[in-house]
Amino acid sequence: MWNKVFVTAALVAGMATATIARAEAPAPYNVTPELEEAAKAEGKVVFYTATDVAVAEKLAELFEKTYPGIDVQVERAGSERVFQRIGQEISSGINNADVIETSDAVHFEYFKRQGWLQAAVPQEVADKWPADERDPDGYFAAYRAHLSVLAYRTDLLSEADAPKTWTDLLDPKYKGKMVKAHPGYSGTVMTATYVLSELLGWDYFEKLGQQDVMQVQSSTEPPKKLAQGERPLEVDGNEYNIFRLQEEGVPIRIVYPEEGTPLAVGNAGILSKAPNPNAAKLFYSFLFSLDAQQLNSDFGGLRSFHPEVVEKAERTPMSKIKLLHSDPVKLEPLIQEIKTHYEQYFGT
Amino acid sequence: MSATVVEGRRASVDLSVPIFLILGLLLSVLVILPLFWIIWYSFTSDGGGGFTLANFAALVTDPTLVRAYAIAIGMAFAVGVLSCLVATPMAWLVARTDLPGRRFFRMLITASFVTPPFLGAIAYEILAAPNSGIVNVAFRSLFGLDSSTVLVNIYTFTGLVFAIACFTFPYVFTLVANALDKVPSDLEDASAILGGGAMTTLRKVTFPLVLPAMLAGTLIAILQSLTMFGSPAIIALPAGFHVITTKIWSLFQFPPRLGLAAAAAIPLLVITVMLLRAQKAILGRKGYTVLGGKSGTPRINTLGNWKWAAMAFVLTVLSLTIFLPYGAILKTAFTNTAGDPITWETLTLRHWRFVLFEFSATQLALRNTFLLGILTATIVTAIALVTAYLVTRRSIAGAGYLGVLATAPVAIPGIVLGVGLFLSYANPTFQLYGTLWILLIAFMTIELPAGYQQMSSSFAGVHPELEEAGRIMGASRLRTLWDITAPLLRTSVVAAWCFVFVGTIRELSATILLTTANTKLVSVIIYDLNESGDLGAICVLGILLLVASFAVVYIANRVPVLGGSQMNARG
């Protein structure tokens, strides 16, 4: 059944990208009163997302306030779980989701090939988004970005004792002190594992696996384990969760190693068989609006590609950080290999 | 017998045969279809869909699968032994001694059945995580030790065994305590009269008589832990190892390896069947012990000075299995993060506000959970009632097969059933995936054996004479069942209903593969929240789930139509 779907789809997709010339992106759309009316008639929109549940719910609240009468159903899970769910649903003929968002860029290449997305470009994206951060054919765009960061509890680890580089983590003094998320669950960590394995080689992870690292699933979780005081040091995890915890007064500091910090881009797109097509378009356009993007930054600590978003002063701007970019096209064929390596070195 | 009576009976429609056929068909579909697809897929290649033996080869050659099985089996046996070692003395103390408050203790342990094991595992994360765990923090501050001292670490193999045993020992406890109730006191009296001291009587008479119940309970504990998904997922994954259920679950990640998942599920099925046969053999061989009927009230041993030691033991066990976990859940629900000390500043209602007003999944999940719980309990009890009737009264040739079919799902571990149902119904032909129906089917299949066992054992206690009287007076079989038998059985009916209800709302292992956005259940959102580390929200949901379950069980026991009966120990 669905394994066949995947295999044939992969083959077809491979040919498709090779032979079919690029289609033009559709003309950008604005939020018109007609669209709003039609969306209100549908009354709800279903949002599959990998953003931290509190942030995603906050965004939903803003949408519901902006467009009263349309409920947002937020379905939050780790990127890879969202991917698994949408795959199971679509291959079973179920169309639940209107708008989807994950932090694994590979997914959107895949969705696009499968024909699961519909092309739609909000005016805001057409006008203001950097060309690198949106699909040239208009199927998706970078709704958010964040880094997967090294961070530590300043009250449990002095600055002198804290690691400065990725390889510092292999020091025996950090044994039993670290927590990290899982690439089989988190798109952010899949991306981070890929770029770091390219940069440092797999033997880095093999040695890291000897360090008695606490393994959690979502990249939202290591920061929470730091806050809880369960471990003083995180190997990876969402920068935005750290920002949020810092604002709550938890003593955590981020380390941006000189070798670079992995960047995870969270794309969003509208599903081609969205059950609430108008509400989907309205919500999708809202996701890229300045209000939503500013909220993501202020409340969520997320990075935005909207040029007018003003970041809080205490955050290190992305321009001052050396970023490690991932190439989804190169990453995709390596996913199974990465998981196998990972299980070999970390046990799960 | 006159001809008119015969005529009269022919004229009124006897629904036995059609009901028998419908039930037979329903049970066959429930049980056989998922198993068929599991076997079919296990021979299907994940790569192209052709026939292959590679999936079975991987069971032997893939070290990650072999290791997951080895750990799971080791864990299950350790849990079984530990549960038995703790439960047996507990059962003896509350059933056969003058321990103060023993009725209360017994009730408490029985009520702790309602705790979903995954919630218990999360409570132990809060209590016994190596650095932030409340127990470790308290230990360190009590003795002024530095932060590197770790008293207990739940993220280990032993931690996992402990956390599971805490919530499976009630199975052994209940079986052994019930067996102790029924040990004929004349045998013990005989031993005492012949000069045997209290210890000799215990060792030579009582203990051998309840040994089968201990073994049977241990096997149930082994089976429960072997097929458990939630607790290992919560404790074993952070510790960096898989058990077989979490490994099967991981095979569903993209790209899904359904063939391998199906093949990996088959040994689990085989082990389960073997364990159940072992249990049956043990209980069957020594069945005379507890089934001999009561002869007088059980002898009560006076503890004397041992009372305090016994009390300390019972309270320690209850602290570990009830007081501490529930305390941790309550504390976390009302404080900012699990590690905070309790002061006026750290007390907060933010998690409650989040769960009740901000988190959009809460309402839907609560509604789905209780809708499914009530539906499953009602349908399963009804099916179990009719099936048990047909089987015990043998009114139709071949009725015995219904009993076999109704018991068979007990051999199918939840995660295996989840795989099977996913393969059976998550395709464009059926399209049940994504609806509550697939979950209803799953829960019915999982809970049927428990409901059926309850009903059939209580039917054995109702003499057919009364039913025959009803039939002679011209009532149809169904009418007799409804008017005469069912009211006589209402205690059992209510108990079975509650048992199935509680079982449904704590189910996670099959559910986890079958839910979608619109069919979220509380157990699944708790699991999702655990993966993102939102302990506060989990504890709030856990409290809501427990309070609501107790309320439903309470109401079910008080509804006048149902007889206002007491929930019995097994229910």
Side-chain angles (χ1 to χ4, degrees):
Chain A
M1 238 168 298
W2 99 287
N3 50 1
K4 268 189 232 159
V5 175
F6 272 110
V7 172
T8 39
L11 289 173
V12 172
M15 291 186 296
T17 41
T19 53
I20 298 170
R22 282 229 151 118
E24 278 292 296
Y29 69 93
N30 275 309
V31 175
T32 57
E34 292 80 51
L35 178 64
E36 234 184 289
E37 241 4 84
K40 269 188 189 137
E42 288 163 358
K44 85 175 216 187
V45 60
V46 182
F47 182 36
Y48 279 26
T49 174
T51 313
D52 184 85
V53 64
V55 180
E57 294 284 5
K58 203 76 178 173
L59 189 87
E61 202 185 299
L62 179 66
F63 180 81
E64 285 165 355
K65 219 179 279 165
T66 319
Y67 302 102
I70 309 171
D71 290 336
V72 185
Q73 189 185 335
V74 173
E75 287 305 323
R76 194 272 157 189
S79 294
E80 308 307 319
R81 213 65 107 225
V82 172
F83 189 35
Q84 174 186 342
R85 204 163 274 170
I86 195 84
Q88 285 180 1
E89 288 182 4
I90 290 185
S91 54
S92 315
I94 298 166
N95 297 297
N96 252 341
D98 291 309
V99 177
I100 189 164
E101 180 265 336
T102 78
S103 60
D104 189 338
V106 171
H107 297 169
F108 282 80
E109 297 291 336
Y110 180 84
F111 294 155
K112 183 181 165 188
R113 283 201 313 260
Q114 294 283 53
W116 292 355
L117 298 176
Q118 58 170 290
V121 184
Q123 194 66 48
E124 202 111 14
V125 172
D127 294 346
K128 292 171 181 160
W129 250 247
D132 284 355
E133 305 303 345
R134 55 191 165 102
D135 178 44
D137 305 329
Y139 285 93
F140 55 86
Y143 152 69
R144 62 174 170 133
H146 62 276
L147 309 179
S148 166
V149 295
L150 199 63
Y152 65 97
R153 275 284 287 259
T154 50
D155 54 339
L156 301 173
L157 214 59
S158 70
E159 195 176 349
D161 268 347
K164 311 281 180 294
T165 65
W166 293 110
T167 40
D168 279 356
L169 297 176
L170 303 180
D171 191 317
K173 73 179 173 187
Y174 298 126
K175 195 166 183 162
K177 294 202 185 309
M178 292 180 278
V179 55
K180 89 183 284 307
H182 200 286
Y185 181 87
S186 160
T188 308
V189 177
M190 176 54 89
T191 311
T193 310
Y194 165 67
V195 293
L196 287 177
S197 69
E198 294 281 291
L199 185 75
L200 304 164
W202 275 108
D203 61 323
Y204 165 73
F205 283 101
E206 187 174 2
K207 286 177 198 146
L208 191 61
Q210 310 291 315
Q211 288 282 63
D212 194 12
V213 178
M214 178 182 188
Q215 179 71 64
V216 294
Q217 299 293 307
S218 170
S219 55
T220 64
E221 197 173 357
K224 292 172 192 173
K225 288 292 169 207
L226 292 194
Q228 203 185 317
E230 180 43 45
R231 291 285 192 277
L233 181 61
E234 68 163 41
V235 178
D236 49 30
N238 296 333
E239 183 193 38
Y240 68 93
N241 287 99
I242 304 265
F243 286 152
R244 299 190 60 218
L245 290 167
Q246 284 172 336
E247 278 156 26
E248 284 174 25
V250 183
I252 303 183
R253 187 172 298 149
I254 299 176
V255 179
Y256 298 104
E258 277 177 19
E259 299 129 301
T261 302
L263 174 76
V265 174
N267 291 304
I270 306 180
L271 288 149
S272 52
K273 289 187 182 155
N276 310 297
N278 295 300
K281 273 182 99 172
L282 184 66
F283 186 73
Y284 186 64
S285 147
F286 164 80
L287 286 181
F288 298 95
S289 68
L290 181 58
D291 284 350
Q293 292 285 321
Q294 189 65 51
L295 176 85
N296 268 354
S297 173
D298 290 347
F299 178 79
L302 289 160
R303 308 286 188 169
S304 170
F305 293 107
H306 197 299
E308 286 149 41
V309 167
V310 185
E311 281 198 330
K312 289 186 182 170
E314 66 269 21
R315 292 180 192 157
T316 316
M318 278 220 284
S319 54
K320 298 244 172 74
I321 303 167
K322 183 177 177 198
L323 298 175
L324 297 172
H325 291 270
S326 155
D327 182 347
V329 179
K330 280 192 197 143
L331 168 56
E332 187 169 357
L334 296 175
I335 288 177
Q336 194 52 49
E337 194 186 322
I338 291 176
K339 279 195 205 165
T340 311
H341 274 301
Y342 197 85
E343 183 162 359
Q344 194 182 340
Y345 302 140
F346 291 90
T348 57
Chain B
M1 189 174 284
S2 72
T4 46
V5 175
V6 177
E7 283 298 323
R9 287 187 69 176
R10 280 213 184 115
S12 78
V13 186
D14 186 354
L15 291 173
S16 307
V17 176
I19 286 179
F20 169 72
L21 291 176
I22 291 170
L23 265 182
L25 193 69
L26 178 73
L27 296 182
S28 309
V29 170
L30 282 184
V31 179
I32 295 167
L33 198 61
L35 288 181
F36 167 76
W37 279 111
I38 286 179
I39 294 167
W40 177 270
Y41 262 86
S42 65
F43 288 107
T44 308
S45 160
D46 283 331
F51 174 85
T52 179
L53 286 174
N55 296 323
F56 286 99
L59 281 184
V60 195
T61 54
D62 184 340
T64 62
L65 274 171
V66 176
R67 187 161 175 263
Y69 256 111
I71 292 178
I73 292 170
M75 170 193 85
F77 276 88
V79 168
V81 171
L82 184 60
S83 302
C84 184
L85 287 180
V86 174
T88 310
M90 287 281 280
W92 183 73
L93 284 170
V94 300
R96 303 302 295 274
T97 69
D98 59 348
L99 186 76
R102 57 183 195 276
R103 270 171 224 280
F104 174 72
F105 292 141
R106 190 165 182 170
M107 196 199 73
L108 211 56
I109 299 172
T110 310
S112 75
F113 258 123
V114 176
T115 324
F118 58 85
L119 199 60
I122 292 170
Y124 265 101
E125 275 194 301
I126 297 166
L127 281 168
N131 298 303
S132 63
I134 296 172
V135 172
N136 285 312
V137 172
F139 176 74
R140 283 194 288 260
S141 68
L142 208 61
F143 295 97
L145 299 164
D146 75 336
S147 63
S148 62
T149 319
V150 173
L151 179 67
V152 282
N153 180 0
I154 202 70
Y155 299 119
T156 53
F157 178 77
T158 37
L160 176 63
V161 169
F162 171 80
I164 297 179
C166 277
F167 304 96
T168 47
F169 97 95
Y171 288 101
V172 192
F173 173 86
T174 310
L175 281 178
V176 177
N178 288 350
L180 280 167
D181 283 344
K182 291 179 186 161
V183 168
S185 56
D186 38 14
L187 288 179
E188 290 171 324
D189 289 340
S191 160
I193 291 165
L194 290 169
M199 276 319 279
T200 316
T201 307
L202 185 61
R203 193 162 47 85
K204 294 207 164 164
V205 179
T206 318
F207 186 70
L209 283 172
V210 294
L211 192 61
M214 284 165 59
L215 285 175
T218 308
L219 283 175
I220 291 183
I222 291 174
L223 209 60
Q224 285 283 327
S225 42
L226 186 65
T227 57
M228 193 176 279
F229 171 76
S231 304
I234 289 159
I235 293 173
L237 295 183
F241 63 89
H242 269 301
V243 298
I244 190 59
T245 46
T246 58
K247 181 70 195 170
I248 290 176
W249 162 230
S250 79
L251 293 174
F252 271 72
Q253 285 170 8
F254 175 80
R257 293 152 80 186
L258 297 178
L260 188 56
I266 287 178
L268 202 54
L269 191 66
V270 173
I271 296 173
T272 310
V273 171
M274 275 165 32
L275 284 176
L276 285 170
R277 290 190 69 102
Q279 189 206 11
K280 203 173 175 194
I282 291 166
L283 279 183
R285 197 155 45 86
K286 297 207 172 175
Y288 61 86
T289 52
V290 291
L291 300 175
K294 286 189 182 181
S295 47
T297 47
R299 279 159 56 98
I300 297 293
N301 297 283
T302 42
L303 286 169
N305 287 332
W306 287 100
K307 195 188 285 177
W308 302 112
M311 200 67 177
F313 170 72
V314 171
L315 285 179
T316 309
V317 174
L318 287 179
S319 309
L320 290 175
T321 57
I322 298 174
F323 304 143
L324 281 175
Y326 279 85
I329 288 173
L330 270 176
K331 179 197 171 283
T332 311
F334 288 103
T335 48
N336 258 328
T337 59
D340 285 344
I342 308 177
T343 61
W344 283 112
E345 281 104 71
T346 56
L347 281 183
T348 171
L349 287 175
R350 59 181 277 200
H351 302 304
W352 291 84
R353 200 176 55 234
F354 176 74
V355 167
L356 294 175
F357 303 112
E358 290 169 18
F359 190 41
S360 54
T362 310
Q363 273 199 12
L364 182 71
L366 277 172
R367 207 169 46 233
N368 283 342
T369 302
F370 286 94
L371 179 70
L372 276 173
I374 290 168
L375 267 182
T376 311
T378 311
I379 297 175
V380 165
T381 312
I383 293 181
L385 185 69
V386 177
T387 310
Y389 174 78
L390 289 177
V391 173
T392 47
R393 296 298 180 252
R394 303 197 177 281
S395 44
I396 291 177
Y401 290 110
L402 284 184
V404 176
L405 278 174
T407 322
V410 84
I412 312 175
I415 192 116
V416 177
L417 187 70
V419 176
L421 290 175
F422 180 80
L423 299 175
S424 314
Y425 299 115
N427 53 49
T429 325
F430 280 109
Q431 292 202 6
L432 285 185
Y433 179 68
T435 64
L436 288 176
W437 295 108
I438 196 167
L439 289 167
L440 185 65
I441 292 174
F443 292 155
M444 277 167 56
T445 317
I446 291 170
E447 297 299 331
L448 195 58
Y452 173 71
Q453 288 296 336
Q454 286 254 343
M455 294 319 306
S456 68
S457 63
S458 37
F459 260 106
V462 175
H463 202 277
E465 276 167 359
L466 290 170
E467 288 164 25
E468 279 157 11
R471 300 276 286 135
I472 289 166
M473 301 308 281
S476 71
R477 260 185 222 289
L478 267 186
R479 181 141 201 101
T480 325
L481 181 63
W482 183 250
D483 282 351
I484 296 175
T485 323
L488 285 171
L489 292 172
R490 69 185 155 212
T491 314
S492 313
V493 170
V494 175
W497 192 94
C498 292
F499 193 71
V500 172
F501 176 78
V502 169
T504 307
I505 59 169
R506 59 186 263 176
E507 216 292 321
L508 181 66
S509 46
T511 319
I512 196 82
L513 289 173
L514 301 175
T515 49
T516 57
N518 289 328
T519 57
K520 277 271 168 71
L521 299 181
V522 177
S523 54
V524 176
I525 57 175
I526 288 182
Y527 184 72
D528 279 353
L529 287 170
N530 183 63
E531 286 182 322
S532 54
D534 295 298
L535 291 174
I538 290 171
C539 291
V540 172
L541 278 167
I543 292 171
L544 290 177
L545 186 67
L546 287 171
V547 168
S549 322
F550 274 118
V552 170
V553 170
Y554 181 83
I555 293 167
N557 279 289
R558 291 294 177 283
V559 174
V561 186
L562 298 172
S565 55
Q566 287 265 307
M567 188 175 166
N568 81 7
R570 184 74 177 118

